[in-house]
Amino acid sequence: MTKKSIARNFLKLAASGHSHEAFRLYTCKNFKHHNAYFKGDADTLMLAMEESARTNPNKIFEIHHVLRDGDLVAVHSHVKQNSTDSGVAVVHIFRFESDKIVEIWDLGQPIPKKSINENGMF
């Protein structure tokens, strides 16, 4: 399995409410993350992802681009909490050690209802 497919699978599992499985399969013991809204350990992020999936059972998660540079993988996606939500453009950056995720950064930008940019966000 490639690092790109591991990153994809991790995010798809987490978005669909299977964060425990995502962390069990794809992260290493010394995992850390950089989301400013949660403590930096695996358990805190895993529980937050689980709660998000439970609170938003109709979440739509669509991956648009996956890029790899050595031990780093970036995933550009569109996350909507439900079908009427405009959503957020998100970039997750994963750092790997061997074939396990050791570190994650995530950045998001809300998608405006109207945009002057004719190219869109994806």
Side-chain angles (χ1 to χ4, degrees), residues 13-117:
L13 281 169
S16 66
H18 302 286
S19 62
H20 285 277
E21 184 177 358
F23 277 82
R24 181 181 59 79
L25 291 173
Y26 301 119
T27 65
C28 65
K29 200 167 128 177
N30 57 336
F31 171 88
K32 64 181 177 179
H33 71 88
H34 300 272
N35 185 309
Y37 299 100
F38 305 101
K39 287 181 60 178
D41 62 283
D43 287 340
T44 300
L45 185 61
M46 180 175 53
L47 293 173
M49 290 174 158
E50 187 177 85
E51 177 62 24
S52 174
R54 189 172 36 256
T55 305
N56 303 291
N58 299 314
K59 182 181 292 184
I60 299 163
F61 178 76
E62 184 180 1
I63 294 173
H64 289 270
H65 305 99
V66 182
L67 309 167
R68 178 174 173 210
D69 182 16
D71 286 335
L72 297 173
V73 173
V75 180
H76 178 217
S77 55
H78 186 184
V79 180
K80 296 169 66 172
Q81 299 308 321
N82 56 59
S83 61
T84 61
D85 180 27
S86 296
V88 178
V90 180
V91 175
H92 288 90
I93 302 169
F94 296 83
R95 186 172 68 83
F96 284 81
E97 284 183 3
S98 299
D99 288 333
K100 295 290 186 179
I101 299 165
V102 68
E103 198 164 8
I104 298 177
W105 296 261
D106 58 321
L107 309 139
Q109 182 178 11
I111 298 173
K113 296 279 186 208
K114 291 185 177 187
S115 172
I116 61 172
N117 185 319

